[in-house]
Amino acid sequence: MNYHYEENEKKISVAVIRRLPRYFRYLRGLIEQGITRVSSAELARMMEVTASQIRQDLNCFGGFGQQGYGYNVEHLYDQICELLGVKDNYRAVIIGAGNLGRAIVRSPMFERRGVTPVAMFDISEDIVGNTVGNIPVYHMKDLETFCRVHKVDIGILVLPKDQAEGALTVLEKAGVRGIWNFTSAELNTENEETLVENVHLGDSLMTLCYRLRSNGVFGDTENSKTED
């Protein structure tokens, strides 16, 4: 069964959508181990959720399982890949060729998830004209034209916070509809066709620090020094 998006279909909750990448990762791991079938209970133990939660999540898209048999791992993985657009060949540009930008563009996550980085953009004359992991670095002034010509789907923002809004505006004008924002700016847009995913690495770090403190783990508070 293939799931197809239609305007009149029920809206899937954000919580369910955010769990789909976990299914993707765990199912890929099962395939790599040569496992062909898995029950909701087995998958639940691996993912540390309930079997009921898994069945509810997958039933949002048609179920994919057979009573008494469980799930065909490869088939379910293919369906999750379809839902996540892994085979849609999205094209991405990285705006900002600093340390984080260079680390991101070299990551294997793009190939595994069907996204192809096609260019980077920066304003530094020391970087423009070079390549990072075989990806060419162009000047920011060429961003809009490049995105239009090459039909870019995703813009990845790893530039200074105060430049994020300007980059978003250029990307929207160029028809780029997906924004993956790693700046500390909380970007929003009035354009209903543009989707923004704000990623706050600092929030994740502070969540970890909270959990450490809640478990009685404290740093060197005597010598610590807090800076803005």
Side-chain angles (χ1 to χ4, degrees), residues 48 204-217:
E48 298 184 350
S204 180
L205 175 61
M206 295 188 77
T207 299
L208 176 60
C209 292
Y210 169 85
R211 294 175 64 191
L212 284 171
R213 199 172 200 282
S214 297
N215 282 277
V217 180

Side-chain angles (χ1 to χ4, degrees), residues 18-228:
R18 292 196 180 281
R19 282 193 288 271
L20 288 178
R22 293 195 71 210
Y23 291 113
F24 171 84
R25 287 190 285 109
Y26 279 90
L27 290 167
R28 187 180 66 209
L30 291 175
I31 291 173
E32 290 171 352
Q33 296 173 50
I35 296 173
T36 59
R37 181 171 65 89
V38 66
S39 68
S40 57
E42 291 167 333
L43 194 54
R45 281 194 293 273
M46 287 184 284
M47 297 180 61
E48 298 184 350
V49 296
T50 66
S52 174
Q53 182 69 76
I54 287 176
R55 289 192 294 269
Q56 288 177 31
D57 286 352
L58 298 180
N59 281 338
C60 291
F61 307 100
F64 311 126
Q66 298 177 18
Q67 189 171 3
Y69 176 85
Y71 300 101
N72 179 300
V73 173
E74 190 167 347
H75 175 69
L76 181 56
Y77 177 74
D78 286 343
Q79 296 303 309
I80 297 296
C81 284
E82 181 180 348
L83 291 170
L84 293 171
V86 173
K87 299 178 182 178
D88 290 347
N89 299 314
Y90 291 123
R91 298 162 67 84
V93 294
I94 294 90
I95 297 96
N99 291 334
L100 180 56
R102 292 196 296 271
I104 285 176
V105 80
R106 290 190 174 104
S107 171
M109 68 178 167
F110 292 108
E111 181 179 358
R112 292 175 181 173
R113 289 157 180 79
V115 176
T116 303
V118 293
M120 300 183 75
F121 292 85
D122 206 281
I123 58 173
S124 172
E125 298 298 338
D126 294 332
I127 300 174
V128 172
N130 296 321
T131 59
V132 179
N134 296 321
I135 303 300
V137 183
Y138 299 104
H139 198 279
M140 279 293 293
K141 62 182 176 60
D142 299 319
L143 176 61
E144 182 177 351
T145 299
F146 182 96
C147 290
R148 288 186 185 279
V149 171
H150 295 273
K151 302 186 186 305
V152 172
D153 305 290
I154 299 171
I156 302 170
L157 304 185
V158 284
L159 70 173
K161 175 182 179 179
D162 60 355
Q163 299 173 26
E165 287 282 359
L168 172 61
T169 299
V170 173
L171 290 168
E172 286 187 304
K173 286 174 60 180
V176 177
R177 293 296 172 242
I179 309 298
W180 199 21
N181 173 33
F182 281 86
T183 74
S184 57
E186 187 75 19
L187 294 182
N188 294 291
T189 176
E190 296 181 358
N191 188 336
E192 294 182 356
E193 295 182 351
T194 303
L195 303 173
V196 179
E197 183 75 15
N198 292 304
V199 182
H200 295 290
L201 297 176
D203 289 5
S204 180
L205 175 61
M206 295 188 77
T207 299
L208 176 60
C209 292
Y210 169 85
R211 294 175 64 191
L212 284 171
R213 199 172 200 282
S214 297
N215 282 277
V217 180
F218 299 93
D220 186 0
T221 54
E222 264 186 42
N223 298 316
S224 64
K225 179 180 177 182
T226 302
E227 297 181 355
D228 291 335

